[in-house]
Amino acid sequence: MSGTGHMRENEEGIHAEFEVSEPIAGMRLDAALAGVFDVPRTRASAWIRDGHVRLTRAHQPVKIGKSHKLSVGELVSVNAPAPRDLADIRPEKVDGFSIIYCDDDIVVVDKPAGVAAHPSPGWHGPTVPSALLGEGISVTTSGAAERQGIVHRLDVGTSGLMVLARSERAYTELKRAFKERTVEKVYHTLVQGLPDPLRGTIDAPIGRHPGSEWRFAVVEDGRESITHYETQEAFGPATLVEVHLETGRTHQIRVHFSALHHPCCGDLTYGADPTLSAELGLTRQWLHAHRLGFTHPASGERMSFESPYPRDLTYALEALREGNIRRG
C-alpha cells in the first residue's frame, strides 16, 4: 500500500484506512483504490458511488467523486462489502430461463429479461450462473471470481442467447473467438421511427457518458464500435431492425441507435418515448439476442442457435401490426 495505515480484508469485505503519500498523490481516487487494493476499477468506482469510501483532509471531510485527485496527507477510509462471486450464489429456478444446448465444454442458454449475465456490485436479483446452478449445471472456474465461465454479456434488460464455458479449454477458445470477431451475434430490436438509410453501418466510438457513470455515449475518444443493421418491418411509430454486431461494447446497440435519434423502444435510459413505451406494454428495451453462431471450442464444428421472441416483445409487435398504436 502506498501510504501509511492498516487494512483488514475477510469474507465480509475490505476495511482499510491509509494516508496518501507521494507514489499515489495526483491520481484519481478510483484508479488509486483499484491499484492499492488490486481490484477492478469498476469495483472501486462502485465503492465511491455507494458511500463506502470517505476522505478527510486536516480532519475535515472532503466531498469526493471517482475523479477526485488525491493529495499528500489526505486520509482515505474504505469500508466495503466483499463482492459477490459464484461461491456466494445459491441455485435458483428462474422463470423463462432455458437450456438450449449443453455438453462437457459449453452451455447455451436463453436468458429472460431481468436476469443479469453475472453478479455485480449492487445487483441482488437472479443471474445466469445462479439459474444454471438451479438446473444442476456448473461452469468452469476460469475467469474472475464474479465472471467464471462468462465469455460475453447481455444487459439485464436484454433477452436471448448466451454461451458459457464449462471447461478451461472452452473458456480460452471462446474468449479468443469473441476477441477475433469470429462469433456471429445477431440481434433484433424495435427502434422508434424509421432509420434512414434502411440498411447501413454505424461506425462510432463508444465510451463512458461524460455526465453519467452508468450510461455510455458516442464520444470522440471512445473504443471502436461497429454495428450493421437492416430494416425488417416498418410500422410508422417504430421499425423492426436486424442487427449484426462486429464489436461488442457495453450497451452498443442501445447507444448507437440513440445517437441516430432512433432509440430502442422501451429504453428510457437512452431516450425512448415513455408514452410509446407504455402503449407497447414495454417495461424494458425491445432488444433480443436472436441468433448466435460460433465454432465449437473442442470439436471444431460450426454451431448456430436461434431464440424466438419472448411474450412481451411479441405483444408489442402484434400491437403495431394491428394498428393499435398512434402514428409517430
Side-chain angles (χ1 to χ4, degrees):
M1 181 177 295
S2 298
T4 59
H6 62 275
M7 167 180 157
R8 176 168 58 88
E9 179 172 15
N10 53 33
E11 66 278 1
E12 297 181 352
I14 290 179
H15 309 279
E17 186 176 274
F18 65 92
E19 185 176 322
V20 177
S21 56
E22 285 291 349
I24 61 172
M27 290 182 64
R28 281 171 50 124
L29 178 58
D30 58 348
L33 291 173
V36 167
F37 297 111
D38 191 25
V39 299
R41 193 158 169 171
T42 53
R43 184 180 171 195
S45 294
W47 289 348
I48 299 166
R49 183 198 69 233
D50 295 339
H52 300 308
V53 180
R54 292 187 303 164
L55 191 147
T56 56
R57 183 186 303 124
H59 305 292
Q60 297 298 315
V62 177
K63 185 176 180 179
I64 58 172
K66 64 179 183 178
S67 60
H68 172 83
K69 297 291 182 65
L70 293 173
S71 300
V72 172
E74 290 179 328
L75 186 66
V76 180
S77 300
V78 179
N79 187 13
R84 294 176 63 195
D85 59 33
L86 291 183
D88 300 323
I89 297 174
R90 296 179 180 179
E92 56 185 317
K93 292 290 185 179
V94 176
D95 290 342
F97 182 88
S98 59
I99 308 298
I100 305 300
Y101 175 86
C102 185
D103 62 25
D104 290 341
D105 291 288
I106 64 171
V107 57
V108 179
V109 305
D110 200 342
K111 182 190 87 66
V115 177
H118 56 74
S120 62
W123 176 254
H124 300 291
T127 64
V128 171
S130 68
L132 279 173
L133 289 176
E135 300 295 330
I137 296 175
S138 61
V139 295
T140 180
T141 56
S142 299
E146 71 275 15
R147 300 192 183 191
Q148 291 175 356
I150 303 293
V151 293
H152 68 125
R153 296 177 61 255
L154 291 181
D155 295 340
V156 171
T158 300
S159 53
L161 296 168
M162 282 184 63
V163 59
L164 293 89
R166 302 195 68 208
S167 67
E168 185 175 349
R169 169 179 57 182
Y171 181 83
T172 300
E173 292 302 319
L174 287 172
K175 290 288 283 187
R176 178 182 295 117
F178 277 97
K179 182 177 181 180
E180 295 177 353
R181 305 180 185 179
T182 62
V183 177
E184 181 189 31
K185 299 173 288 183
V186 180
Y187 293 74
H188 283 186
T189 183
L190 189 69
V191 302
Q192 291 183 192
L194 181 66
D196 182 17
L198 299 180
R199 172 191 297 184
T201 295
I202 308 168
D203 185 351
I206 291 176
R208 291 281 180 183
H209 191 288
S212 175
E213 184 174 350
W214 296 107
R215 292 173 60 202
F216 293 80
V218 171
V219 293
E220 186 176 353
D221 60 347
R223 300 176 69 189
E224 179 189 35
S225 307
I226 302 173
T227 301
H228 307 284
Y229 72 90
E230 181 176 351
T231 295
Q232 300 293 298
E233 196 170 356
F235 305 103
T239 302
L240 180 64
V241 175
E242 180 168 285
V243 176
H244 292 249
L245 286 186
E246 187 170 326
T247 54
R249 308 304 176 211
T250 301
H251 299 180
Q252 179 172 321
I253 295 172
R254 300 165 64 190
V255 169
H256 270 171
F257 280 98
S258 177
L260 292 183
H261 306 292
H262 296 290
C264 299
C265 293
D267 192 1
L268 303 186
T269 299
Y270 286 102
D273 178 357
T275 301
L276 177 60
S277 300
E279 290 180 343
L280 292 171
L282 292 171
T283 57
R284 51 104 168 190
Q285 64 266 18
W286 203 114
L287 180 59
H288 185 67
H290 176 62
R291 187 162 70 248
L292 184 64
F294 55 89
T295 299
H296 192 284
S299 69
E301 175 189 359
R302 189 68 184 178
M303 310 187 79
S304 184
F305 303 91
E306 286 195 2
S307 165
Y309 303 150
R311 184 177 303 173
D312 60 336
L313 304 190
T314 300
Y315 174 88
L317 276 184
E318 290 176 348
L320 286 163
R321 287 169 178 157
E322 293 170 3
N324 296 333
I325 304 300
R326 65 176 174 80
R327 306 300 291 180

